[in-house]
Amino acid sequence: MVERKKASRAGVTTTPSEGRPEKRLFHEYLRRKGLKRTAQRDLILETFLESEKHITSEALYRKVRERDPSVGFATVYRTLKLLTECGIARSMQLGDRYTHYEQGFDKQHHDHLICIECGGITEFFSQQLENIQAEVVRRHGFRMVDHSLRIWGVCRMCQRRRAS
Amino acid sequence: MVERKKASRAGVTTTPSEGRPEKRLFHEYLRRKGLKRTAQRDLILETFLESEKHITSEALYRKVRERDPSVGFATVYRTLKLLTECGIARSMQLGDRYTHYEQGFDKQHHDHLICIECGGITEFFSQQLENIQAEVVRRHGFRMVDHSLRIWGVCRMCQRRRAS
DNA sequence: CTGGCTGCAAAGCATTTGCATGACA
DNA sequence: TGTCATGCAAATGCTTTGCAGCCAG
């Protein structure tokens, strides 16, 4: 971390994490909880922010190891838990055996289309859907705390690939 | 299975499984696949059919053991897999660490309200919801294969219990 | 008879935890 | 200078699998 403006590595097409509000938020969260800011936690957050929108703990662990091979997976899991607690990450089950994480700070609720061929994940939001859900919940006298709609199928690209 | 109209055991308030089409379906499925009909498989299916609508593999295992303590959990898992394959059971993740199973034969698709206090599960169906989902999928060029909407919250009863 | 089935124990696998060492505040 | 964090390895907990003997067809 000495060079400034270091050339982006081959194939890294992700968002830079410079000045992201998540960093400040995380450090504040740590302070508030009497926890400590460490190089590992910073590295894990940074790697998470610069990753694709949806990532598994395992994949994040591998990415982190590329930058610092000494980091253990326990630390990644523990940090991911912290990130989830303070709203920077959101965890979800997509049907495989992994827990997936997505960036959750400052993002409105949304649902997911999951391609069973390529594993690709498409986010979508429908206010109509939200309204009807709220109505269903109300009708049953529930107090809603969370909800998750997942739709599995074959995406446009994979349908084409199949046809050919 | 000798006595007819045998008195229901104390506390068992479940549906009798006599003459349920699932049995015939299961036996046909086994035959078609060249698999064998065994006492354990019959017992597990019967116990499943007489259980509450939603049950975990673990709970089913315990219920089966009450009737025949010699049954191993591997057999329960293996049978549950068969039942799922032939559409008698449907598996789902409700947010805890267990796989839950519900009776799936001859039942239309539906969604779930899950109470985070008592663990109770309420089924609901909304054609509007289905329509909007289909529209979203269409708009994204997906071919839908499955979908699952889960809503977590506090049910009416638990809200009252809390208030008091 | 013979291939499938069973129960047991062991293995798998993602995730969590215990512990001795190391680092932040 | 005392927590809190880390990395390692072991433990968890649900689920699956290997295997030797057993049973249905």
Side-chain angles (χ1 to χ4, degrees):
Chain A
M1 295 312 254
V2 173
E3 255 47 288
R4 46 192 345 234
K5 195 176 189 311
K6 76 171 189 283
S8 66
R9 296 309 192 92
V12 176
T13 57
T14 45
T15 334
S17 65
E18 316 290 319
R20 289 272 223 117
E22 285 92 338
K23 295 193 177 181
R24 174 185 295 255
L25 185 74
F26 187 45
H27 296 153
E28 252 175 58
Y29 179 76
L30 292 177
R31 190 149 9 88
R32 203 158 8 102
K33 285 270 197 174
L35 306 176
K36 284 165 182 169
R37 179 179 171 182
T38 67
Q40 289 92 330
R41 285 177 176 169
D42 276 356
L43 172 61
I44 292 165
L45 170 56
E46 207 157 305
T47 309
F48 177 67
L49 292 177
E50 293 178 8
S51 295
E52 59 258 61
K53 278 210 195 69
H54 303 88
I55 193 166
T56 62
S57 6
E58 223 278 334
L60 180 59
Y61 169 63
R62 273 186 278 111
K63 285 199 144 206
V64 168
R65 298 275 295 204
E66 282 172 24
R67 303 197 192 178
D68 180 352
S70 72
V71 176
F73 49 78
T75 303
V76 173
Y77 275 105
R78 285 188 275 234
T79 304
L80 230 19
K81 197 177 178 188
L82 292 174
L83 294 177
T84 304
E85 280 164 21
C86 68
I88 293 173
R90 220 180 273 162
S91 74
M92 43 187 207
Q93 306 299 326
L94 294 185
D96 54 12
R97 51 171 82 244
Y98 298 89
T99 301
H100 296 244
Y101 291 86
E102 65 177 356
Q103 297 182 36
F105 176 68
D106 211 20
K107 289 197 64 177
Q108 74 172 341
H109 170 83
H110 56 262
D111 298 303
H112 296 97
L113 288 163
I114 305 148
C115 178
I116 57 178
E117 298 273 313
C118 67
I121 298 157
T122 308
E123 299 178 355
F124 70 91
F125 176 78
S126 157
Q127 188 57 55
Q128 277 187 85
L129 227 37
E130 302 296 314
N131 294 345
I132 298 173
Q133 283 177 47
E135 167 59 19
V136 167
V137 166
R138 199 193 54 67
R139 200 158 50 223
H140 283 85
F142 255 66
R143 192 159 53 68
M144 176 154 59
V145 167
D146 196 10
H147 61 294
S148 151
L149 168 61
R150 298 164 302 170
I151 300 178
W152 291 273
V154 185
C155 73
R156 207 182 327 240
M157 255 173 49
C158 288
Q159 284 176 57
R160 284 211 198 103
R161 192 173 307 140
R162 261 188 179 178
S164 64
Chain B
M1 296 314 252
V2 174
E3 257 46 290
R4 46 192 344 234
K5 193 175 191 310
K6 75 171 190 280
S8 65
R9 298 306 191 93
V12 177
T13 56
T14 43
T15 332
S17 65
E18 315 289 320
R20 291 271 224 115
E22 285 92 339
K23 296 193 178 181
R24 173 184 297 254
L25 185 74
F26 187 45
H27 297 153
E28 251 174 60
Y29 179 76
L30 292 177
R31 190 149 9 88
R32 204 160 5 105
K33 284 269 195 174
L35 306 176
K36 285 166 182 168
R37 180 179 170 181
T38 66
Q40 290 92 329
R41 285 177 175 169
D42 277 356
L43 172 62
I44 292 165
L45 170 57
E46 206 158 303
T47 309
F48 177 67
L49 292 177
E50 294 179 6
S51 295
E52 59 257 61
K53 279 211 197 66
H54 302 87
I55 193 166
T56 62
S57 8
E58 223 277 335
L60 180 60
Y61 169 62
R62 273 185 277 110
K63 284 198 146 209
V64 168
R65 298 274 296 202
E66 282 172 24
R67 304 196 190 179
D68 180 351
S70 73
V71 176
F73 50 77
T75 305
V76 173
Y77 276 105
R78 287 189 273 232
T79 304
L80 231 18
K81 196 177 179 188
L82 292 174
L83 294 177
T84 304
E85 280 164 23
C86 68
I88 293 172
R90 220 180 274 162
S91 75
M92 43 186 207
Q93 306 298 327
L94 295 185
D96 55 13
R97 50 172 83 242
Y98 297 90
T99 301
H100 295 245
Y101 292 86
E102 66 177 355
Q103 296 182 35
F105 175 69
D106 210 22
K107 289 197 63 175
Q108 73 170 342
H109 170 82
H110 56 263
D111 298 304
H112 297 96
L113 288 162
I114 305 150
C115 178
I116 57 177
E117 298 274 312
C118 67
I121 298 158
T122 308
E123 299 178 355
F124 69 91
F125 176 77
S126 158
Q127 188 57 54
Q128 277 187 85
L129 228 37
E130 301 297 314
N131 294 345
I132 297 173
Q133 284 177 48
E135 168 58 18
V136 167
V137 166
R138 200 193 53 69
R139 201 158 48 223
H140 283 85
F142 255 66
R143 192 160 51 69
M144 175 153 58
V145 166
D146 196 11
H147 60 295
S148 151
L149 169 61
R150 299 164 301 170
I151 299 179
W152 291 274
V154 184
C155 72
R156 209 185 321 246
M157 253 173 51
C158 288
Q159 284 177 56
R160 284 212 197 103
R161 192 174 308 138
R162 262 188 177 177
S164 64

